Short mmCIF file of all heavy atoms in Angstrom, two decimals:
data_model
loop_
_atom_site.label_atom_id
_atom_site.label_comp_id
_atom_site.label_asym_id
_atom_site.label_seq_id
_atom_site.Cartn_x
_atom_site.Cartn_y
_atom_site.Cartn_z
N ILE V 68 93.00 115.50 -63.52
CA ILE V 68 93.49 114.79 -62.34
C ILE V 68 92.70 114.97 -61.02
O ILE V 68 93.02 114.46 -60.03
CB ILE V 68 94.98 115.09 -62.06
CG1 ILE V 68 95.09 116.61 -61.68
CG2 ILE V 68 95.86 114.75 -63.34
CD1 ILE V 68 96.54 116.98 -61.22
N ALA V 69 91.65 115.77 -61.17
CA ALA V 69 90.98 116.13 -59.96
C ALA V 69 90.25 114.90 -59.34
O ALA V 69 89.66 113.98 -60.03
CB ALA V 69 89.73 117.05 -60.28
N THR V 70 90.33 114.73 -57.98
CA THR V 70 89.79 113.65 -57.22
C THR V 70 88.46 113.90 -56.55
O THR V 70 87.83 113.07 -56.17
CB THR V 70 90.77 113.24 -56.16
OG1 THR V 70 90.92 114.33 -55.21
CG2 THR V 70 92.15 112.86 -56.69
N GLY V 71 88.10 115.20 -56.50
CA GLY V 71 86.88 115.63 -55.80
C GLY V 71 87.11 115.89 -54.47
O GLY V 71 86.20 116.41 -53.77
N ALA V 72 88.31 115.60 -53.86
CA ALA V 72 88.70 115.91 -52.42
C ALA V 72 89.04 117.29 -52.27
O ALA V 72 89.62 117.90 -53.23
CB ALA V 72 89.64 114.91 -51.92
N ALA V 73 88.99 117.84 -51.06
CA ALA V 73 89.31 119.22 -50.82
C ALA V 73 89.85 119.29 -49.40
O ALA V 73 89.44 118.56 -48.45
CB ALA V 73 88.14 120.20 -51.00
N VAL V 74 90.84 120.23 -49.17
CA VAL V 74 91.42 120.43 -47.90
C VAL V 74 91.41 121.90 -47.57
O VAL V 74 91.86 122.71 -48.43
CB VAL V 74 92.83 119.85 -47.79
CG1 VAL V 74 93.39 120.13 -46.43
CG2 VAL V 74 92.92 118.37 -48.12
N PHE V 98 99.05 120.04 -52.97
CA PHE V 98 97.78 119.33 -53.08
C PHE V 98 97.28 119.30 -54.43
O PHE V 98 96.83 118.27 -54.96
CB PHE V 98 96.78 119.91 -52.07
CG PHE V 98 96.86 119.38 -50.66
CD1 PHE V 98 97.12 120.13 -49.63
CD2 PHE V 98 96.66 118.01 -50.37
CE1 PHE V 98 97.22 119.75 -48.33
CE2 PHE V 98 96.66 117.50 -49.16
CZ PHE V 98 96.91 118.35 -48.06
N LYS V 101 98.36 116.85 -56.84
CA LYS V 101 97.90 115.52 -56.54
C LYS V 101 96.47 115.34 -56.86
O LYS V 101 95.72 114.42 -56.55
CB LYS V 101 98.10 115.09 -55.16
CG LYS V 101 99.68 114.96 -54.82
CD LYS V 101 100.32 113.79 -55.48
CE LYS V 101 101.73 113.67 -54.99
NZ LYS V 101 102.48 112.50 -55.72
N GLY V 102 95.82 116.41 -57.46
CA GLY V 102 94.37 116.39 -57.84
C GLY V 102 93.46 116.72 -56.73
O GLY V 102 92.24 116.43 -56.77
N ILE V 103 94.01 117.38 -55.68
CA ILE V 103 93.14 117.61 -54.40
C ILE V 103 93.04 119.15 -54.38
O ILE V 103 93.98 119.90 -54.35
CB ILE V 103 93.83 117.12 -53.13
CG1 ILE V 103 93.98 115.60 -53.25
CG2 ILE V 103 93.03 117.55 -51.89
CD1 ILE V 103 94.96 115.08 -52.28
N LYS V 149 83.97 114.64 -48.92
CA LYS V 149 85.42 114.56 -48.88
C LYS V 149 86.12 115.87 -48.73
O LYS V 149 86.97 116.19 -49.37
CB LYS V 149 85.84 113.91 -50.16
CG LYS V 149 85.41 112.39 -50.29
CD LYS V 149 86.03 111.76 -51.53
CE LYS V 149 85.54 110.27 -51.62
NZ LYS V 149 86.20 109.59 -52.79
N PHE V 186 87.70 114.73 -42.70
CA PHE V 186 88.99 114.28 -42.19
C PHE V 186 89.73 115.46 -41.67
O PHE V 186 89.60 116.53 -41.95
CB PHE V 186 89.71 113.50 -43.21
CG PHE V 186 90.04 114.21 -44.43
CD1 PHE V 186 91.26 114.91 -44.65
CD2 PHE V 186 89.12 114.28 -45.47
CE1 PHE V 186 91.60 115.58 -45.80
CE2 PHE V 186 89.46 115.01 -46.68
CZ PHE V 186 90.74 115.66 -46.76
N LEU V 290 101.10 111.05 -46.19
CA LEU V 290 99.72 111.53 -46.07
C LEU V 290 98.88 111.17 -47.27
O LEU V 290 97.71 110.72 -47.15
CB LEU V 290 99.82 113.21 -45.89
CG LEU V 290 98.43 113.93 -46.11
CD1 LEU V 290 97.47 113.49 -45.05
CD2 LEU V 290 98.78 115.44 -46.08
N PHE V 291 99.50 111.40 -48.48
CA PHE V 291 98.70 111.08 -49.71
C PHE V 291 98.35 109.53 -49.76
O PHE V 291 97.33 109.07 -50.20
CB PHE V 291 99.55 111.42 -50.95
CG PHE V 291 99.65 112.91 -51.06
CD1 PHE V 291 100.93 113.38 -51.37
CD2 PHE V 291 98.68 113.74 -50.91
CE1 PHE V 291 101.21 114.76 -51.55
CE2 PHE V 291 98.92 115.15 -51.08
CZ PHE V 291 100.09 115.65 -51.32
N ASP V 292 99.31 108.73 -49.24
CA ASP V 292 99.02 107.29 -49.25
C ASP V 292 97.94 107.03 -48.24
O ASP V 292 97.04 106.15 -48.58
CB ASP V 292 100.27 106.50 -48.72
CG ASP V 292 101.44 106.57 -49.65
OD1 ASP V 292 101.26 106.74 -50.87
OD2 ASP V 292 102.62 106.28 -49.29
N TRP V 293 97.84 107.62 -47.08
CA TRP V 293 96.80 107.47 -46.03
C TRP V 293 95.43 108.02 -46.80
O TRP V 293 94.48 107.25 -46.62
CB TRP V 293 97.09 108.32 -44.87
CG TRP V 293 95.95 108.22 -43.89
CD1 TRP V 293 95.65 107.25 -43.04
CD2 TRP V 293 95.08 109.45 -43.65
NE1 TRP V 293 94.58 107.74 -42.26
CE2 TRP V 293 94.25 108.96 -42.59
CE3 TRP V 293 94.90 110.70 -44.15
CZ2 TRP V 293 93.15 109.82 -42.14
CZ3 TRP V 293 93.96 111.45 -43.67
CH2 TRP V 293 93.06 111.05 -42.63
N MET V 294 95.44 109.08 -47.48
CA MET V 294 94.26 109.56 -48.01
C MET V 294 93.79 108.63 -49.12
O MET V 294 92.48 108.37 -49.28
CB MET V 294 94.49 110.89 -48.71
CG MET V 294 94.84 112.04 -47.74
SD MET V 294 95.15 113.67 -48.46
CE MET V 294 93.49 114.15 -49.00
N ASP V 295 94.67 107.93 -49.87
CA ASP V 295 94.33 106.92 -50.75
C ASP V 295 93.75 105.72 -50.20
O ASP V 295 92.59 105.23 -50.48
CB ASP V 295 95.49 106.54 -51.66
CG ASP V 295 95.22 105.53 -52.75
OD1 ASP V 295 94.32 105.84 -53.51
OD2 ASP V 295 95.75 104.38 -52.76
N LYS V 296 94.35 105.24 -49.14
CA LYS V 296 93.84 103.90 -48.56
C LYS V 296 92.65 104.15 -47.60
O LYS V 296 91.94 103.23 -47.39
CB LYS V 296 94.92 103.15 -47.78
CG LYS V 296 95.44 103.95 -46.59
CD LYS V 296 96.76 103.20 -45.88
CE LYS V 296 97.28 103.95 -44.84
NZ LYS V 296 98.50 103.34 -44.28
N SER V 297 92.43 105.36 -47.26
CA SER V 297 91.27 105.77 -46.42
C SER V 297 90.05 106.02 -47.34
O SER V 297 88.91 106.28 -46.81
CB SER V 297 91.52 106.92 -45.59
OG SER V 297 92.57 106.66 -44.61
N GLY V 298 90.15 106.07 -48.63
CA GLY V 298 89.13 106.30 -49.60
C GLY V 298 88.82 107.75 -49.85
O GLY V 298 87.69 108.10 -50.43
N ILE V 299 89.72 108.61 -49.32
CA ILE V 299 89.46 110.05 -49.48
C ILE V 299 89.72 110.52 -50.96
O ILE V 299 88.96 111.39 -51.44
CB ILE V 299 90.29 110.87 -48.50
CG1 ILE V 299 89.96 110.52 -47.10
CG2 ILE V 299 90.15 112.36 -48.76
CD1 ILE V 299 90.92 111.09 -46.01
N VAL V 300 90.64 109.93 -51.61
CA VAL V 300 90.96 110.36 -52.92
C VAL V 300 90.74 109.31 -54.03
O VAL V 300 91.31 109.41 -55.10
CB VAL V 300 92.51 110.86 -53.06
CG1 VAL V 300 92.61 112.07 -52.24
CG2 VAL V 300 93.39 109.72 -52.62
N ASN V 301 89.96 108.28 -53.69
CA ASN V 301 89.57 107.24 -54.72
C ASN V 301 88.16 106.88 -54.63
O ASN V 301 87.45 107.34 -53.77
CB ASN V 301 90.54 106.07 -54.61
CG ASN V 301 90.41 105.43 -53.20
OD1 ASN V 301 89.43 105.40 -52.57
ND2 ASN V 301 91.51 104.80 -52.85
#
Side-chain angles (χ1 to χ4, degrees):
I68 62 170
T70 63
V74 179
F98 273 121
K101 296 291 185 178
I103 301 162
K149 293 184 177 181
F186 60 94
L290 167 61
F291 295 134
D292 292 342
W293 174 78
M294 293 178 75
D295 182 59
K296 66 189 178 187
S297 299
I299 297 168
V300 294
N301 58 30

